[in-house]
Amino acid sequence: MKQYHVKSIRLNGIPRKVVADPEQRLIRIIREQLGFTGTKLGCGVGQCGVCNVLLDGKVTRSCITPWSKVPEGADIVTIEGIGTPDHLHALQYAFIIKGAIQCGFCTPGFIVAAKGLLEVNPSPTRDEVRDWFQKHWTACRCTGYVQVVDAVMEAAAILRGEKTMACLDELYKDGDTIWGSRYPRPSAIYKATGTMDYGDDLYGKMPQETLFAVPVCPETHHARVLKIDYTEALKMPGVVKVVTAEDIKANKGTNRIRGQQGSGSMSGDGWERRMIVPEGDKIRQWGECVAIVCADTEQNARAAAAAVVVDLEQLPELLHVKDAMAQGAVKVYDEIPDLADIPNCFNVRPIIKGEDTKPLIDKAKYVVDDEFYSSRQPHLTLETDCGFGYFDEEGRITIQSKSICVYRHQLMIARGIGMAPSKIRIIMNPMGATFGYKVAPTNEFLIAICVIATGRPVYMRLDMKEHITRTPKRSPFLMKIRLGADEKGMLVGGEHYWYVDHGPYSESSQDLTNKGSQFFMAPYHLDSVRGCGYTIFTNHRWSAAFRAYGSPQTYWGGETAMDMLAHECGMDPFEFRVQNVIRPGDSFAHGQKPEVYPFQELIEKVRPLYEEAKKRAAAGSTEEIKKGVGISFGIYNSNDDGADDASSNIELTKDGVILYNTWEDHGQGADAGCVGTAHEALKPLGLRPEQIRLNCNDTAKAPNSGAAAASRCQVMVGNAIVDSCNKLLEAMKKPDGTYRTYDEMVAEGIPTFYEGYWQAKTRDNSGEVITCTGMDDTTGEGYPFSNHMFGIFLAEVSVNTKTGKTTVDRFTLASDVGAICNLDVVDGQQYGGLAQGIGLALSEDFIDMHKHNNLVACGLPYVKDVPDELKLIHQMMPREFGPFGASGTGEMPLSAPHPAIGNAIFNATGVRIKELPCSPDKVLAGLKK
């Protein structure tokens, strides 16, 4: 006989009597029984703080607090009890105006925790704020924490009466320009008050007949599936259906996902990825699905999934690219031919520029010839993978998920599930970040198959362990680099041979492999380059986009090698880079000239800071704590490779305008980008920002704007927005230069709806405007990018020589991302990118499924792991092909911060680490040498 506990509590000041399972977690009771979904469910094990509530005034992680531990008469406060959109608390207001909100999934947890702090310490220092968040395990993956602390300090001053809260509407005055300002992103007020519904929140509002789906994923990297027995699972309570590959076949689907297409250099057809692995086929990575249990509740679905018996024949596992490349290695796909006489190699991407490098480097005065390895960095979003599906009013299979490329996913899954793309509708849910992993379809096809097989709405949510072990990761590169410099320290040639561990799927692999040439020595004048990238199948996690896609790997090798070469030349690492920096007229390894050359000006901004940092390091070093300074340069692109394009439409209404596009928002600020760009383009109309409404990220309502990836949207979608706005203005314009009203447009029969479009353009090396091109299959030459972003990274570190632990004390990023649409958004992107770079450099990794299956073990940086002294310097050279001179911003901050940290460790200790992360054991091993 199951027993329950009934207790009287006060929730947000309202008395309630609640009956619950004594072992049920408080987060579930608050969200599912009481319906307060502002409190989020993240890791479920007390490591992220998104579930924070105040329990009798104390900050409490509700995901690890059972009902039995909640006292009778407890006073519980959630984000909903702190303030509302109409009556903001000072903390909510401060988080909005200080740009402390990106994806917003962690925001309620931070605001609740901060309220707990200010109730006991109304005048905290910045260090005390940081200590508080660290103590309460309150984490953010987006912001880099600086603006969060800024917000708490601002709120504290307001609550002490030293500052006042303005009405948010008063932040904009008629006639103001919000382009280039710090105008709050439109979604921030809802994120700050817990009123924005994310995927799991929406599930609670779905029809009662919605099923919960749990994939059955045998825990093995490589095995043949002999038999799938779900007989007992079907008998269990609440089970409606066990979906297998046979259900896909019954719907005339191919059971394949569209992978790499359009390549002239790869083997295979790009359709190798199975949706559900059938009997007789092979599991090729940990977490591949063999069946899906659909039941009435999560509890029943999980119990039945555990009852499915899968008989396997274990096969040799290829978990490192060197294992997969070894002669005689087992094949990941027997049917896909090897290339270049390398086992499991399925694509080869050469790079050829200038003279043959071998004699140049052989004769060089100074040479570096070494091997480098980048890690399989996990994305570590605090919201796990989730989504749901149903048939809509037109009979379309409709998937609402964390997709950041809704049209691409529609195309990638259509053939596999047996439906035409026009019969598939993808809608982006508000989401707790992706950092690129959702360029890959993860759950869309599984949900679709379940909806088709059951005829009912279906929801799927992974827990954090499943999310970390089953979703894609950054692809490791094994890099073999040879650089030569003459007696004056000038580069004479460079060679780069890189081997890309892409897991068992080909999707997006060619663009990733191309990055190894596009960004090899990109910041420097180098006339002669030779190299080749090899894309390799393995049995580890498949690769998907991750912020700065391909450049962190390439710069880890290149910028470390540059530092080593500076040391060989006996030159200061900064001055060595300055001497060799790319200058007007120079081109990248792939032959294209950048649209601007901003490094000379950035160098002058950074040089005095670098000299000050060296003095600090020298003065602060002791025998036990060694301090060092490191430098790196980085460049990243702002459009998808080649002839990228985007559409965006606009409709004039009585109240203003509506934008229609698929500028997907995974926290980077798409809403601010859309509104800021349109407001600037529509200046003659004198609209207020709130008169620009968004109807975005639904394939049934908005045109294809492309993916929210490659830092492309401000450029690509921004230009399409400007095009649509210009067409609308032209139609509204009267002969006397004034503009028609909506009513006048309708009365005159003039259309009120206009389509905007832009395709990526650049100038070739003769100066002619051309459409961007792909990379030549034999030389690697091409004009792939319209715009770029540039950065100089300056790291200051302390290394404990007894423990090997490295701490980043300060970090400076001087960058040029063109004209800036929204300063708070750009600051937030840069702070956040640097924080992820610190994690990449020092702690983050994903190797062992039994170990790297939670946020802490994977190395997530908490607030005390990221310095409060993050300095940003913005330089803004206008871009010819950017809207109002803009480029992108989101990915450059993570292109090359980590080699600056690695170089700083060398500067401090003399230990040169060549394989990420720079963990304490590697530092200690180096010190012992």
Side-chain angles (χ1 to χ4, degrees), residues 31 41 105 197-203 212-213 302 381-389 399-403 427-434 437-438 442-444 447 458-463 466-467 471:
R31 289 178 55 82
L41 174 59
F105 193 74
D197 283 336
Y198 296 79
D200 201 42
D201 307 330
L202 291 166
Y203 167 54
F212 196 102
R302 288 192 176 277
T381 63
L382 302 187
E383 180 195 37
T384 65
D385 206 39
C386 60
F388 52 87
I399 308 299
Q400 294 189 218
S401 71
K402 296 178 68 174
S403 173
I427 301 171
M428 183 208 81
N429 281 335
M431 71 181 83
T434 82
Y437 90 86
K438 280 302 298 182
T442 55
N443 57 9
E444 287 78 7
I447 293 168
V458 173
Y459 176 68
M460 181 182 290
R461 178 190 180 273
L462 302 184
D463 64 28
E466 294 165 340
H467 173 68
T471 52

Side-chain angles (χ1 to χ4, degrees), residues 566-588:
H567 184 70
E568 291 294 317
C569 294
M571 294 183 66
D572 177 273
F574 182 73
E575 297 304 334
F576 179 67
R577 286 173 169 82
V578 171
Q579 177 172 288
N580 285 285
V581 77
I582 191 170
R583 288 178 167 82
D586 292 343
S587 62
F588 298 131

Side-chain angles (χ1 to χ4, degrees), residues 65-315:
T65 304
W67 183 236
S68 61
K69 298 294 185 182
V70 176
E72 177 72 23
D75 190 344
I76 300 171
V77 178
T78 70
I79 188 68
E80 292 92 341
I82 292 176
T84 67
D86 294 329
H87 296 91
L88 293 173
H89 186 276
L91 278 162
Q92 294 165 321
Y93 169 80
F95 268 67
I96 293 167
I97 68 163
K98 287 296 181 180
I101 302 172
Q102 291 191 31
C103 81
F105 193 74
C106 70
T107 301
F110 270 100
I111 290 175
V112 169
K115 188 172 191 299
L117 168 64
L118 297 183
E119 286 180 356
V120 297
N121 181 0
S123 300
T125 64
R126 293 185 70 90
D127 281 343
E128 287 171 334
V129 174
R130 286 161 55 82
D131 288 342
W132 184 264
F133 288 140
Q134 186 79 16
K135 171 184 174 182
H136 292 287
W137 294 84
T138 306
C140 177
R141 187 60 162 160
C142 296
T143 64
Y145 300 106
V146 172
Q147 291 161 302
V148 171
V149 179
D150 290 344
V152 177
M153 299 302 287
E154 179 80 8
I158 292 169
L159 293 171
R160 292 193 304 267
E162 297 164 9
K163 293 186 176 182
T164 58
M165 286 172 55
C167 176
L168 291 180
D169 290 342
E170 296 172 4
L171 297 178
Y172 175 86
K173 295 179 174 55
D174 289 343
D176 282 357
T177 295
I178 65 169
W179 180 272
S181 75
R182 296 188 182 276
Y183 187 79
R185 62 178 76 194
S187 61
I189 190 170
Y190 309 110
K191 295 173 179 178
T193 53
T195 52
M196 174 164 280
D197 283 336
Y198 296 79
D200 201 42
D201 307 330
L202 291 166
Y203 167 54
K205 300 170 176 66
M206 288 289 287
Q208 283 190 338
E209 63 268 24
T210 301
L211 300 172
F212 196 102
V214 173
V216 177
C217 303
E219 295 190 342
T220 179
H221 289 283
H222 198 196
R224 190 172 303 281
V225 179
L226 303 178
K227 184 173 179 57
I228 305 167
D229 184 355
Y230 51 87
T231 308
E232 293 303 313
L234 279 175
K235 300 174 184 177
M236 296 182 70
V239 174
V240 172
K241 173 78 175 175
V242 177
V243 178
T244 68
E246 290 301 309
D247 293 286
I248 301 175
K249 184 177 179 181
N251 202 54
K252 299 182 179 179
T254 64
N255 194 27
R256 295 288 192 276
I257 291 172
R258 187 180 192 268
Q260 179 65 55
Q261 299 291 304
S263 170
S265 58
M266 69 175 274
S267 59
D269 60 7
W271 291 95
E272 74 288 329
R273 181 180 173 187
R274 278 69 168 162
M275 291 182 160
I276 298 180
V277 180
E279 290 182 348
D281 204 344
K282 294 198 296 184
I283 292 169
R284 291 176 170 86
Q285 68 169 354
W286 189 283
E288 286 196 317
C289 177
V290 300
I292 312 169
V293 175
C294 299
D296 57 347
T297 67
E298 178 179 2
Q299 184 177 9
N300 286 338
R302 288 192 176 277
V308 176
V309 178
V310 184
D311 292 335
L312 302 173
E313 175 195 347
Q314 293 295 334
L315 299 172

Side-chain angles (χ1 to χ4, degrees), residues 780-847:
E781 300 292 288
Y783 296 93
F785 303 127
S786 179
N787 281 357
H788 299 82
M789 306 162 283
F790 302 78
I792 297 179
F793 301 84
L794 173 60
E796 300 176 55
V797 307
S798 296
V799 182
N800 187 314
T801 57
K802 289 187 176 180
T803 66
K805 180 176 172 57
T806 300
T807 300
V808 179
D809 300 323
R810 292 179 179 84
F811 207 109
T812 299
L813 169 59
S815 70
D816 192 311
V817 299
I820 290 176
C821 172
N822 188 295
L823 284 162
D824 274 346
V825 168
V826 169
D827 283 355
Q829 288 292 287
Q830 297 199 353
Y831 287 135
L834 293 179
Q836 291 180 352
I838 291 168
L840 174 60
L842 299 179
S843 60
E844 295 180 36
D845 210 350
F846 181 80
I847 299 173

Side-chain angles (χ1 to χ4, degrees), residues 6 15 53 201 291 380 398 504 510 562 575 627 634 685 690 904 925:
V6 57
V53 299
D201 307 330
L380 303 181
T398 301
Q510 183 155 299
M562 276 293 285
E575 297 304 334
K627 291 184 177 287
L685 301 185
E690 61 267 25

Side-chain angles (χ1 to χ4, degrees), residues 649-660 674-675 678-679 682 685 687-695 721 724-725 728-729 732 742 752 754:
N649 301 336
I650 192 168
E651 181 179 12
L652 181 67
T653 69
K654 263 187 174 298
D655 301 319
V657 297
I658 303 173
L659 299 185
Y660 301 87
C674 283
V675 172
H679 188 265
L682 296 172
L685 301 185
L687 297 176
R688 292 183 61 84
E690 61 267 25
Q691 291 179 275
I692 302 170
R693 296 177 56 199
L694 307 180
N695 195 335
I721 289 171
S724 68
C725 290
L728 174 62
L729 288 174
M732 294 177 69
Y742 171 81
T752 57
Y754 292 88

